[in-house]
Every structure is written in C-alpha cells, then in structure tokens.
Amino acid sequence: MEERTSLDLAQQSNATGDMDTEAFRRYGHQVVDWMADYLAGVGEYPVLAQTTPGTLRHSLPTHPPTHPEAMETILADFDRQIMPGITHWNSPGFMAYFGITGSGPGILGEMLSGVLNVNAMLWRTSPAATELEQVTLDWLRQMLGLPDSLFGVINDTASSGVLYALAAAREAIPDLCIRQQGMAGRPEVPRLRYYASQEAHSSVEKAGIVLGVGQEGLRKIGVDHEFRMDVAELERAIQEDIAAGWRPFAVVATVGTTSTTSVDPVPQIVDICERYGLWLHVDASYGGSAAVDPAMQWVLAGCERADSIIINPHKWLFTPIDCSVFYTRKPDAVKAAFSLVPEYLRSAESIGEDAPINLMDYGTSLGRRFRSLKLWMVLRYFGQEGLAARIQEHNRLGQLAAEWVDASPDFERLAPTPFSVVCLRAHPQGMDDEAQLQALNERIMNRVNAAGHYFLSHTKLHGKYTIRIAIGNLHTTEQDVCNVREELKAGLAVELEAQK
Ligand code: PLP
C-alpha cells in the first residue's frame, strides 16, 4: 500500500470525498509553481514529442482505479508518464501548422474559469459569462476595425463556426424550410451549392457533409498565382450551376489560408454574393487577428459586408485553446437555425424586447465554457498596442525568414508571405525531379523535427512538397529564425553528402 503523506491525510479528511480546502491550496500552489517552471523552461523540451504510438497507452494500467489515490502520486505520474507524450505547442520552437501561445494572462483566465465551472447556456446560468462575452467581443471588434453592426459569440473552434454559418445560410434560403422539413425525399428541394477556394480549410467541406449538402455540394474554385480565390471563376461557376438547376446559397472566403496564408479578395467576392443573394462567410481564423495592428486592417477589407466572420484568438491572439470568435450581422438568422427551447430551459427574463441573450441559441451545443474570461484578460493585459506590437514582430520575423530563403541558392520560396508563415523547399541546382525533391525535403524536415529544437510541418503547393515555417509564438525570437535556418541548411548538407 502507498505510504500516505500528511497532505494525503488532509485529502482524506473531507467527508464529501472531494479534496480538502487546505490540500487544494497546497496542491494548487504546487501546480502553479510547476506551471511557472514549465513556462520558463518550455523551450528545453523536444518540441515534437519524441515518442511512438502506444507508448503512453501501454504504460498506464488497463483497469480503472478502485481506491482513492494520493494527489502526489497522480502529479508525479503526470510528470513521469504524461509529459513525455506532450508536443509543446507553447514552445518558442513550435513552428508547425500555426504557431500559437497560451499567454500568462490567458492561462490564468483559464484557471479561473475552471474553478468557477459555470455553464453559460442561459443568461441566468451565468449572467457575467454571457455579458462579458458580449462586451469582450465588442472590444475585439473595435480593435479589428469591424463595424458595430456585428454580433459576436465564442465557439470552441472555427470548424464549429463554419458549420453554424452554413446552417444559418441554408436556413436563410427563402421557401425551403429545411430546418422543419429536412431535405431528403423532397423533389421540390434543388441540390444546394456553396463555394470556397481550393485552398479553403477542410472544415468548410466537413460542414457540407454534416449539413446533408454533401461533398459535391461544395464547388471548389481555382486560385491565382498568389493562392487567392479566382473571382471570375467564382461568378462563372455560380452562373453555370444556376443554369444546371443547382441552388447556390453561400460562399466561404478565407483571410489567411491554412497552407500559404493567402487572402481571398473579399471586396470582389462580397459584390458577387450580393448580386446572387448568397451568404458570405469569411474564415479569418488565422489572418483576422493581424487586424489588431491598424496597419494590417486591409486584411479585413470587405468583411464589414460579410454575413459572418470567424477569428480565432486561440491561433494568433495569445489566448489558450479553445476560443474561436464568430461574428455575424444576422444573429436572427443564426438563431432561426438553432434556437430550440424546451420547457426546462425557459426562463422569465428571456421573454420580451429587452431580454438578454441566451448563448445556447447560437449553435448546437447547449453547454458553454466561460471562454470570454481568458480573452478579456488577454485583451486587457496586452491592450491593442501590445497585441499589435507582437503581431508586427511576428510579421517581421516572417519577412526575415522569407528574405533568407530568397537569397539562398539552394532553397526557394513557394508562396508570398503576407503574414508570418513562410512556404519553402530545398531545391539544389540540378535537381528537378519532383519525386526526388519531395523525398529530399521530407528527410530534411524530419531531421529538424527529430533534433527537437523546432517543429515544422508541410503542405503541397502545385504538387510541390512544401515546408512551412509558421511563426506565431510570443517567445520566438530572431535567434530562433536564424537557428531554424541553420538546421534546414545543415539538413540539406547532410542529405546531399549522403547521396554522393
Ligand atoms: N480555418 C483555417 C484557415 C485554419 O487554418 C484552421 C486550422 O488551422 C481552421 C479553419 C480550423 O480551426 P479550428 O481548429 O478552430 O477548428
């Protein structure tokens, strides 16, 4: 049997079985100390977990615990067993996908929301959570230079948000009553179509699958040489589809695409949407955050006329996962798609003109975490100036990395760099076979990732295997950019040597 410490006895002494207040305080301090040490030393861990599938699973008991266990043992196992399986998204060396940061104020906000444990489904189930969400999103809207006609709610992810936007767009189609009557077995319902560029995120396509529109219901539009949606092709596609009996209902434009961070020409796209009566959703989950820097507000040009827009503070506004902001100028349409109030969720204050909103009315989930608390803390702690300064610095580092690639005879840049993500590959002179180049670049990237200082990920652009350097962590420095450059160059040198 485990030897019990005095703290464990304190843990036992609470008749409810829950942790005693004093034990909570002491373990709480211990955990916060651990967190502070972790944040101070996160750069020392291998960024990409150096583990193999099944390692953690096989190290844990297959049977659930029967008896209470000591908190000290649980925390020790967290360190010993869980930590080696962590990929460190909060590391300055994390440059894969999109670099992100759970900042200090954001983490503290997350801790407080954990202890309050409120469920903000109705105004009355947490008035402060409901109202703080409205105020915080209004502040963020102002920081981004968006108009005050927008209503905002926070969802877990952009993937949920695009589903809600397209559900609202589908419900807004006049005379189809899809919420009520569904789509199957109704000959009077035409096949529905929506549009996004080939570079749009997979969540856009998934939403169509969930909504019964089907993958064929999404028509993917080609892009120009800078990976931006081709608007002439968009309009042609809409006209062709109408002539062929499809019913176009929405367009999804992207501000900051996943692979290259390209920005679709929203002002022209919104013209087309208005001409054909289509809902415009803008997925600005990554790029939208840049607009906190007034010099970057061009990225949201045209969005003031969009029907819905998503910006993810959990991507590039230093807010811990999860926090995805959904703005719409048509909250009633979103509510019309989702609001369903059974008797047990009715409340007196929800009736009447001035009734407060109930967050459950704007999506599929009833329960909601108090996500606005961490965002409120982040916005206040940094202020717009502080946020803008960090975004500027990341963009500066991105440009620096891009300049290095452009100046290097053995590497080439495969896309423009409007923000802080650089798309590149090694392309030594005389090596032009695509399969060979792919194998070479995969090996170089794997070498960098195995070294543990940096974590990079890839994409494919025009069939070319592309390495991405995605800068977005608050603690990434110019030195990191130099180091990752050196690791890529060294990786190439070793690979070329091995081929001799
Ligand atoms: N849209 C874009 C452009 C993305 O890059 C991503 C993820 O990286 C998403 C949507 C999905 O975001 P989430 O993880 O919040 O669903």
Side-chain angles (χ1 to χ4, degrees):
M1 193 172 164
E2 297 274 348
E3 204 178 304
R4 290 204 176 272
T5 66
S6 55
L7 287 180
D8 304 325
L9 289 173
Q11 186 181 344
Q12 289 296 300
S13 70
N14 190 325
T16 65
D18 195 7
M19 187 177 279
D20 174 86
T21 306
E22 280 315 305
F24 181 84
R25 189 184 311 282
R26 294 170 73 170
Y27 285 119
H29 286 192
Q30 191 176 315
V31 167
V32 172
D33 281 343
W34 186 95
M35 291 164 80
D37 291 343
Y38 174 72
L39 291 175
V42 60
E44 305 302 315
Y45 292 89
V47 189
L48 176 64
Q50 309 284 303
T51 184
T52 48
T55 305
L56 175 64
R57 199 153 50 83
H58 296 310
S59 78
L60 295 173
T62 51
H63 297 294
T66 307
H67 304 294
E69 292 189 62
M71 200 61 210
E72 278 184 358
T73 315
I74 300 169
L75 290 175
D77 287 350
F78 165 75
D79 243 340
R80 190 172 56 86
Q81 293 177 298
I82 312 295
M83 282 305 287
I86 295 294
T87 289
H88 295 275
W89 286 73
N90 237 1
S91 167
F94 189 102
M95 299 180 180
Y97 315 108
F98 285 116
I100 61 170
T101 318
S103 64
I107 295 168
L108 294 176
E110 191 73 291
M111 286 166 68
L112 289 175
S113 102
V115 77
L116 295 175
N117 200 30
V118 301
N119 185 338
M121 53 196 195
L122 299 171
W123 177 83
R124 70 161 48 181
T125 64
S126 189
T130 305
E131 294 185 16
L132 189 68
E133 189 158 316
Q134 300 306 289
V135 172
T136 306
L137 297 195
D138 194 55
W139 287 358
L140 179 61
R141 174 194 67 70
Q142 293 178 52
M143 287 182 176
L144 297 168
L146 288 168
D148 64 6
S149 50
L150 292 180
F151 164 91
V153 290
I154 302 180
N155 295 313
D156 53 355
T157 58
S159 305
S160 302
V162 69
L163 175 68
Y164 300 163
L166 290 171
R170 190 184 64 170
E171 196 48 31
I173 304 172
D175 59 69
L176 290 187
C177 306
I178 289 172
R179 168 182 165 137
Q180 192 69 27
Q181 297 172 26
M183 294 200 287
R186 294 178 63 197
E188 77 280 17
V189 176
R191 292 197 72 187
L192 303 181
R193 263 260 150 98
Y194 66 111
Y195 306 82
S197 92
Q198 289 160 355
E199 295 293 315
H201 190 261
S202 55
S203 55
V204 176
E205 188 165 343
K206 276 197 188 177
I209 299 170
V210 176
L211 291 169
V213 173
Q215 282 173 282
E216 286 176 12
L218 169 60
R219 184 158 173 181
K220 293 187 183 171
I221 306 298
V223 292
D224 66 11
H225 63 289
E226 294 195 8
F227 302 93
R228 302 170 298 197
M229 188 191 289
D230 177 338
V231 277
E233 185 181 325
L234 171 68
E235 184 152 23
R236 264 198 317 276
I238 294 168
Q239 287 169 349
E240 275 171 22
D241 286 347
I242 293 171
W246 291 85
R247 180 76 170 261
F249 74 105
V251 175
V252 179
T254 309
V255 171
T257 55
T258 312
S259 285
T260 70
T261 73
S262 61
V263 177
D264 284 340
V266 176
Q268 287 104 297
I269 294 171
V270 80
D271 284 344
I272 294 175
C273 289
E274 286 173 0
R275 229 173 2 258
Y276 294 89
L278 312 182
W279 182 289
L280 175 62
H281 176 71
V282 180
D283 176 359
S285 351
Y286 167 70
S289 297
V292 296
D293 172 7
M296 291 295 289
Q297 287 190 348
W298 62 268
V299 301
L300 292 179
C303 289
E304 68 286 352
R305 287 156 67 203
D307 297 288
S308 50
I309 309 159
I310 285 178
I311 287 136
N312 273 7
H314 73 215
K315 277 194 171 48
W316 203 11
L317 281 184
F318 322 127
T319 306
I321 283 178
D322 50 8
C323 184
S324 176
V325 172
F326 177 95
Y327 287 117
T328 179
R329 59 188 176 93
K330 294 184 177 161
D332 289 346
V334 182
K335 207 169 159 183
F338 288 107
S339 180
L340 189 64
V341 187
E343 186 54 36
Y344 46 82
L345 291 173
R346 290 191 190 282
S347 55
E349 71 276 359
S350 297
I351 299 161
E353 280 279 292
D354 295 328
I357 65 156
N358 291 318
L359 290 167
M360 67 168 186
D361 287 336
Y362 300 92
T364 51
S365 56
L366 169 63
R368 272 165 187 271
R369 305 196 313 111
F370 191 174
R371 297 193 186 93
S372 57
L373 190 58
K374 57 188 172 186
L375 182 59
W376 180 67
M377 292 196 176
V378 167
L379 297 190
R380 290 189 63 182
Y381 187 85
F382 287 89
Q384 182 163 8
E385 284 174 10
L387 294 170
R390 270 68 196 187
I391 296 273
Q392 282 163 10
E393 174 62 2
H394 289 165
N395 288 338
R396 186 186 76 82
L397 296 179
Q399 296 314 311
L400 218 61
E403 281 163 23
W404 156 64
V405 178
D406 292 347
S408 164
D410 291 332
F411 285 85
E412 66 180 340
R413 196 145 58 94
L414 297 176
T417 307
F419 302 102
S420 59
V421 174
V422 184
C423 294
L424 69 144
R425 69 171 177 178
H427 189 173
Q429 279 153 8
M431 188 189 288
D432 290 315
D433 176 71
E434 279 305 325
Q436 211 185 347
L437 283 168
Q438 165 153 348
L440 173 71
N441 279 281
E442 268 180 291
R443 283 200 302 271
I444 294 172
M445 191 180 79
N446 292 341
R447 271 185 189 284
V448 173
N449 291 344
H453 308 119
Y454 297 96
F455 175 26
L456 304 175
S457 62
H458 79 282
T459 187
K460 262 200 177 165
L461 299 175
H462 300 309
K464 297 173 182 167
Y465 188 92
T466 304
I467 300 174
R468 292 165 74 264
I469 300 179
I471 295 161
N473 184 276
L474 279 179
H475 304 282
T476 301
T477 61
E478 192 168 325
Q479 187 60 52
D480 288 308
V481 176
C482 295
N483 294 350
V484 80
R485 176 191 71 194
E486 292 309 311
E487 290 205 15
L488 285 165
K489 280 165 64 178
L492 172 62
V494 174
E495 289 300 332
L496 290 181
E497 189 58 35
Q499 284 177 16
K500 276 187 185 159

